[in-house]
C-alpha cells in the first residue's frame, strides 16, 4: 500500500487525513510524534508507513488497522474470525502462500470469497485469484505474520483442514442448492456428515472445550467452542448442511429428529482420539433453525483436590476445619459457570470413605464418584430437591449434598438435617459469601436456626491461567499497581520494581495467552460474632465487614494475589470479580 497515495489525495484536495493522523485517533501515536513523521515524509520522500516501521514507533497491528481505516477496507483479526472449510477448499495453499492471502469465507449464492490480505490494495493478486476461483473477492486487511501462521496451520492439520476434506464430498453445487430449495430432498452422504460431527467433537476434546455451540444463521452455520470459559468461534459450515448435521447429533443423543418445534435433551458417549467423553445435548428452535449445545463431561482425569482448585492459606484451613465437623451447613456461592459443582465434588471426594454414607441430589449428575449414592432430580415424576431431601433423611446418611437451595422448603429441610446431626453441602446463586445469609433469611429461614446450623460459606469464580510456555513479564501501569496495593493493603508488600505477567500467545493456547483455569475464593467461617449478626438480620455489607475484620480475604484480593504471583492477569480478575 503506497503511502504516497495520501499525498496525491492532498494535492487533489480530496483528503487531508494521513496514516499518522489515524494512529493519533487510535491512541497509538501522540500528536507531537505524528507531526515529526509528517515532516520526515516531506524531507526524505519516504512513505509514512516506512518511517513508522523503521523507527518502531507503533506496533505492526496498529499500522495495519490504521491503513484499513485510511483506505476504507475492513480489518480482520484472524484469531477471532471463524474460518469456512469450504473457502479453504476453493483456494489452493500455493496461491495463498504466493500472494500472502488467507480465505476466510465463501458465499456460493453471490459467488464471493472474503479474503484476508497483507496488502488488500494489490489489484493484480485480486484479479489473479478471481480468475482462478471464479469468485468475486472481498478483501480485508490482516497482519502478514497472522496470515503466514494460518496458511501453515490451517492448511496442514487442524479442525478446518479435516472438515474441509469431508466437505469436498458433501458441499452442494449451485444447481444442487437450487434443486434442494425446490425439493428439500437429501443428496448429502450420511457417512460424510458423521465424519464432520466426529471432527467437531474430536477438536473439542483436543482444545479442552467444555461446550460446543452449533448455531444456524441466515447464510451459514457457525461452530463455537467454550475454551477456558470463553466462547471462541472456530468454524463456519454451509447452511445447506445444517439440517443433516443436527439430525446426526439428535440420532446420537436419542432425540426425536422430526420434532423441531420444542426444545429437547439427550446424551451420548463419544470416544475421540485422545479421550472418551459423556455429552449432554440440548436443542433449541431459533428463527434460522435448530441450535444445538453439547456439554462435554470427561470420564477420566479424576476430581482435583482443593489446593489444585486454587484454595490456599487461611481460606483453605477454614474450609478444611469446617468439613471435618460432624454436622452443619456448608454453602458454595457464585453465578452459573463459576466452578461450584467442581468444588463440591472435590470436598465429597476428600470425605469419601467406607465409614460414611454420602448421598447426593443433583441436577444433573456431572461426574460419577465411586462409593457415593448419587440421585438425579426428576421434577416430572415429583423428585425435586425438597422431596429428595426428605427421602434422604430416612436413608441413614452422614453427609448430604443438595445441588442447589432454590426455595424455602429446601432451605428449611437443609437446616433441619444439619440440626439433627448431618453434614449438609449445597450451592446458592449469590455474588459473594456475605450475600448468602440475607438470601436465606429472605427465603423465610429462621435467624436463630440459621445462626446455629451454618458452618461456613465459600464464594468463588474461575479465572484463566497464564500459559506457562508463552509467559512474559511486563511493567504494569503505576495506577494499576496503586489500585492493587490499595485493595491488598498489608497482604502485599512489593519489593523493588513491580513485574506482572501475561501470555504472548502461541498455537498451543490458541494465541489467547491462557491455558487452563484456577479458582479465586473467599471463605467466610460462621464465627460467634457473625452468628450474632444473623440473629440481628444484619445486611450483607455488615456481615462482609465483620468477615474482613476477622481476616477473610475477598474474591478480588485472592485474585490480585494470584496476579502478583504470575498465575493470572489483572484483566481476568476484573472480568469476573469487579463489583
Amino acid at each position: 500500500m503506497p503511502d504516497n497515495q495520501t499525498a496525491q489525495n492532498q494535492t487533489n484536495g480530496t483528503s487531508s487525513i494521513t496514516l499518522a493522523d489515524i494512529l493519533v485517533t487510535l491512541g497509538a501515536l501522540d500528536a507531537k510524534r505524528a507531526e515529526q513523521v509528517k515532516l520526515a515524509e516531506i524531507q526524505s520522500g519516504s512513505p509514512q508507513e516506512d518511517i513508522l516501521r523503521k523507527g518502531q514507533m507503533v506496533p505492526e497491528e496498529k499500522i495495519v488497522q490504521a491503513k484499513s481505516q485510511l483506505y476504507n477496507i475492513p480489518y480482520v483479526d484472524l484469531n477471532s474470525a471463524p474460518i469456512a472449510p469450504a473457502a479453504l477448499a476453493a483456494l489452493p495453499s500455493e496461491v495463498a502462500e504466493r500472494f500472502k492471502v488467507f480465505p476466510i469465507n465463501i458465499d456460493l449464492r453471490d459467488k464471493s470469497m472474503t479474503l484476508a490480505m497483507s496488502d488488500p490494495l494489490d489489484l493484480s493478486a485480486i484479479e489473479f485469484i478471481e480468475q482462478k476461483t471464479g469468485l468475486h473477492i472481498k478483501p480485508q486487511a490482516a497482519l502478514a505474520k497472522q496470515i503466514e501462521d494460518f496458511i501453515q496451520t490451517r492448511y496442514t492439520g487442524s479442525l478446518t483442514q479435516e472438515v474441509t476434506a469431508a466437505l469436498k464430498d458433501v458441499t452442494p453445487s449451485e444447481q444442487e442448492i437450487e434443486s434442494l430449495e425446490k425439493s428439500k430432498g437429501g443428496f448429502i452422504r450420511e457417512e460424510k456428515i458423521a465424519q464432520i460431527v466426529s471432527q467437531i467433537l474430536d477438536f473439542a476434546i483436543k482444545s479442552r472445550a467444555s461446550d460446543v455451540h452449533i448455531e444456524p444463521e441466515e447464510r451459514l452455520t457457525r461452530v463455537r467452542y467454550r475454551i477456558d470459559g470463553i466462547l471462541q468461534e472456530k468454524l463456519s459450515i454451509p447452511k445447506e448442511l445444517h439440517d443433516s448435521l443436527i439430525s446426526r447429533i439428535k440420532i446420537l443423543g436419542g432425540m426425536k429428529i422430526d420434532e423441531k418445534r420444542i426444545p429437547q435433551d439427550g446424551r451420548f458417549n463419544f470416544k475421540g482420539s485422545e479421550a472418551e467423553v459423556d455429552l449432554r445435548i440440548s436443542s433449541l428452535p431459533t428463527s434460522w433453525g435448530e441450535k444445538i449445545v453439547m456439554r462435554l463431561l470427561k470420564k477420566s482425569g479424576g476430581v482435583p483436590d482443593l489446593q489444585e482448585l486454587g484454595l490456599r492459606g487461611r481460606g483453605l484451613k477454614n474450609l478444611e476445619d469446617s468439613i471435618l465437623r460432624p454436622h452443619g451447613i456448608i454453602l458454595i456461592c457464585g453465578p452459573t459457570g463459576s466452578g461450584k459443582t467442581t468444588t463440591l465434588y472435590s470436598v465429597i471426594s476428600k470425605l469419601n470413605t467406607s465409614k460414611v454414607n454420602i448421598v447426593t441430589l443433583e441436577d444433573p449428575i456431572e461426574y460419577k464418584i465411586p462409593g457415593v449414592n448419587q440421585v438425579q432430580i426428576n421434577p416430572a415424576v415429583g423428585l425435586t430437591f425438597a422431596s429428595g431431601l426428605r427421602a434422604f433423611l430416612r436413608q441413614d446418611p452422614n453427609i448430604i449434598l443438595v445441588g442447589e437451595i432454590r426455595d424455602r422448603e429446601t432451605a428449611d429441610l437443609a437446616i433441619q438435617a444439619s440440626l439433627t446431626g448431618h453434614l449438609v453441602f449445597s450451592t446458592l446463586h449469590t455474588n459473594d459469601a456475605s450475600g448468602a445469609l440475607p438470601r436465606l433469611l429472605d427465603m423465610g429461614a429462621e435467624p436463630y436456626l440459621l445462626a446455629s446450623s451454618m458452618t461456613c460459606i465459600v464464594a468463588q469464580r474461575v479465572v484463566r491461567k497464564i500459559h506457562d510456555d508463552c509467559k512474559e513479564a511486563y511493567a504494569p501501569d503505576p495506577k494499576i499497581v496503586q489500585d492493587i496495593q490499595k485493595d491488598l493493603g498489608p497482604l502485599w508488600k512489593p519489593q523493588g520494581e513491580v513485574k506482572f505477567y501475561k501470555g504472548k500467545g502461541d498455537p498451543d493456547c490458541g494465541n489467547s495467552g491462557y491455558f487452563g483455569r484456577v479458582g479465586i475464593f473467599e471463605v467466610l467461617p460462621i464465627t460467634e460474632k457473625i452468628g450474632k449478626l444473623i440473629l440481628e438480620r444484619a445486611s450483607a455489607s455488615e456481615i462482609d465487614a465483620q468477615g474482613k475484620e476477622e481476616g477473610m480475604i475477598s474474591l478480588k484480593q485472592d485474585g490480585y494475589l494470584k496476579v502478583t504471583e504470575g498465575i493470572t492477569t489483572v484483566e481476568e480478575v476484573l472480568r469476573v470479580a469487579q463489583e
Side-chain angles (χ1 to χ4, degrees):
M1 287 188 215
D3 206 69
N4 54 16
Q5 187 172 333
T6 314
Q8 287 170 12
N9 286 345
Q10 286 175 300
T11 51
N12 296 340
T14 54
S15 171
S16 59
I17 301 277
T18 69
L19 194 67
D21 294 325
I22 293 172
L23 285 164
V24 171
T25 62
L26 289 173
L29 193 69
D30 63 54
K32 194 177 176 186
R33 293 292 289 276
E35 289 306 317
Q36 289 169 359
V37 169
K38 288 180 193 176
L39 190 62
E41 179 187 27
I42 295 163
Q43 289 172 343
S44 66
S46 299
Q48 289 185 13
E49 186 181 333
D50 292 353
I51 295 163
L52 288 159
R53 281 203 177 96
K54 198 174 177 183
Q56 294 182 334
M57 298 180 194
V58 289
E60 181 66 23
E61 184 182 4
K62 292 294 180 188
I63 293 176
V64 177
Q65 283 177 10
K67 281 163 71 179
S68 75
Q69 276 193 35
L70 187 66
Y71 301 117
N72 200 23
I73 292 166
Y75 169 78
V76 62
D77 179 358
L78 288 178
N79 287 325
S80 57
I83 307 303
L88 282 184
L91 188 75
S93 58
E94 319 68 86
V95 178
E97 279 176 22
R98 179 178 157 193
F99 293 108
K100 286 195 170 51
V101 298
F102 187 81
I104 299 170
N105 206 351
I106 191 168
D107 192 334
L108 292 175
R109 293 171 195 273
D110 64 5
K111 289 188 172 181
S112 68
M113 178 188 281
T114 306
L115 200 64
M117 303 181 70
S118 57
D119 182 3
L121 295 184
D122 186 347
L123 298 178
S124 60
I126 291 171
E127 191 180 341
F128 179 89
I129 294 165
E130 284 185 335
Q131 286 177 355
K132 178 85 178 167
T133 60
L135 299 165
H136 168 62
I137 297 301
K138 295 177 178 175
Q140 296 193 348
L143 283 170
K145 177 79 173 71
Q146 263 189 7
I147 290 173
E148 283 168 25
D149 289 347
F150 269 62
I151 290 168
Q152 292 300 314
T153 56
R154 295 301 177 100
Y155 270 107
T156 54
S158 70
L159 170 71
T160 327
Q161 190 260 345
E162 288 154 352
V163 174
T164 302
L167 277 174
K168 278 182 181 171
D169 290 350
V170 296
T171 304
S173 66
E174 291 165 72
Q175 293 79 15
E176 287 173 318
I177 287 173
E178 285 169 23
S179 70
L180 177 67
E181 285 172 345
K182 286 172 192 166
S183 67
K184 295 290 176 192
F187 54 79
I188 295 162
R189 287 171 59 190
E190 208 174 298
E191 68 271 19
K192 288 294 175 185
I193 291 294
Q195 196 179 328
I196 292 171
V197 172
S198 293
Q199 300 292 5
I200 287 170
L201 291 176
D202 205 35
F203 182 81
I205 294 169
K206 286 175 182 171
S207 58
R208 304 171 292 106
S210 60
D211 301 84
V212 181
H213 293 235
I214 298 175
E215 301 170 307
E217 293 186 343
E218 186 177 7
R219 294 199 159 191
L220 50 86
T221 291
R222 66 176 181 171
V223 182
R224 295 195 290 171
Y225 294 84
R226 192 175 290 283
I227 301 168
D228 292 333
I230 306 292
L231 273 173
Q232 298 179 20
E233 207 167 326
K234 294 287 185 186
L235 190 65
S236 62
I237 288 172
K239 184 65 188 283
E240 294 73 36
L241 302 184
H242 181 79
D243 287 347
S244 305
L245 208 61
I246 298 300
S247 294
R248 172 67 186 165
I249 293 165
K250 286 169 84 173
I251 288 165
L252 289 170
M255 299 150 78
K256 294 177 185 172
I257 59 168
D258 56 340
E259 180 54 85
K260 299 180 179 184
R261 298 163 304 166
I262 57 170
Q264 293 186 66
D265 292 314
R267 62 190 309 155
F268 66 91
N269 278 344
F270 175 76
K271 193 166 188 176
S273 56
E274 292 187 1
E276 190 175 351
V277 291
D278 269 332
L279 288 136
R280 285 212 319 270
I281 319 298
S282 169
S283 76
L284 185 73
T286 72
S287 57
W288 297 115
E290 280 187 286
K291 172 180 173 173
I292 289 272
V293 175
M294 297 183 276
R295 167 148 291 188
L296 283 77
L297 303 169
K298 282 188 181 173
K299 287 190 145 192
S300 55
V303 177
D305 65 31
L306 293 170
Q307 280 165 302
E308 286 175 292
L309 293 176
L311 269 159
R312 68 263 178 91
R314 184 180 287 191
L316 176 63
K317 187 179 184 308
N318 284 335
L319 182 57
E320 284 181 335
D321 288 349
S322 301
I323 66 178
L324 292 175
R325 291 171 65 173
H327 54 81
I329 299 176
I330 295 169
L331 285 181
I332 314 286
C333 304
T336 304
S338 59
K340 301 187 295 291
T341 307
T342 306
T343 302
L344 283 176
Y345 280 149
S346 182
V347 170
I348 290 295
S349 299
K350 189 178 173 72
L351 297 172
N352 186 16
T353 69
S354 57
K355 294 175 182 176
V356 291
N357 176 22
I358 302 175
V359 284
T360 77
L361 195 58
E362 302 173 54
D363 179 26
I365 296 168
E366 292 198 13
Y367 298 97
K368 304 271 197 311
I369 306 173
V372 175
N373 306 289
Q374 294 172 276
V375 178
Q376 164 118 19
I377 72 160
N378 186 353
V381 296
L383 179 52
T384 62
F385 282 127
S387 65
L389 188 47
R390 199 175 278 112
F392 276 6
L393 295 174
R394 298 191 289 275
Q395 286 281 318
D396 184 32
N398 299 97
I399 297 163
I400 298 170
L401 187 155
V402 185
E404 189 186 335
I405 294 176
R406 293 180 182 170
D407 51 39
R408 177 176 182 167
E409 192 180 2
T410 313
D412 285 345
L413 285 164
I415 290 168
Q416 290 305 324
S418 74
L419 292 173
T420 51
H422 304 93
L423 187 56
V424 180
F425 294 95
S426 192
T427 69
L428 204 60
H429 283 264
T430 60
N431 289 329
D432 51 22
S434 56
L437 296 164
R439 175 71 56 85
L440 289 169
L441 292 170
D442 288 345
M443 279 183 190
E446 291 294 343
Y448 68 94
L449 294 176
L450 203 57
S452 51
S453 62
M454 199 61 68
T455 309
C456 182
I457 303 169
V458 179
Q460 68 177 84
R461 302 286 189 280
V462 279
V463 293
R464 292 181 290 171
K465 281 162 56 177
I466 298 168
H467 186 207
D468 283 335
D469 292 350
C470 65
K471 190 188 233 181
E472 60 179 10
Y474 73 97
D477 186 312
K479 189 180 183 311
I480 290 170
V481 176
Q482 200 179 334
D483 288 347
I484 291 176
Q485 179 75 72
K486 187 180 168 187
D487 259 309
L488 290 178
L491 294 170
W492 183 47
K493 295 183 175 68
Q495 304 292 323
E497 192 186 353
V498 175
K499 288 278 183 199
F500 288 168
Y501 293 86
K502 61 183 175 184
K504 200 160 55 175
D506 64 18
D508 287 344
C509 62
N511 291 304
S512 67
Y514 297 101
F515 193 93
R517 292 192 286 174
V518 69
I520 58 173
F521 298 87
E522 64 180 30
V523 181
L524 178 68
I526 307 303
T527 59
E528 197 178 327
K529 285 183 179 176
I530 288 173
K532 281 180 184 169
L533 289 175
I534 297 171
L535 290 170
E536 293 163 10
R537 290 184 177 267
S539 66
S541 55
E542 289 173 276
I543 293 167
D544 187 60
Q546 182 59 42
K548 283 175 179 168
E549 197 179 303
E550 293 177 8
M552 178 184 80
I553 291 172
S554 73
L555 280 169
K556 205 172 181 185
Q557 286 176 326
D558 191 34
Y560 280 156
L561 286 170
K562 287 181 168 92
V563 168
T564 64
E565 291 162 29
I567 296 168
T568 188
T569 62
V570 178
E571 292 79 11
E572 274 298 286
V573 174
L574 294 176
R575 179 176 70 84
V576 302
Q578 182 72 290
E579 288 91 12

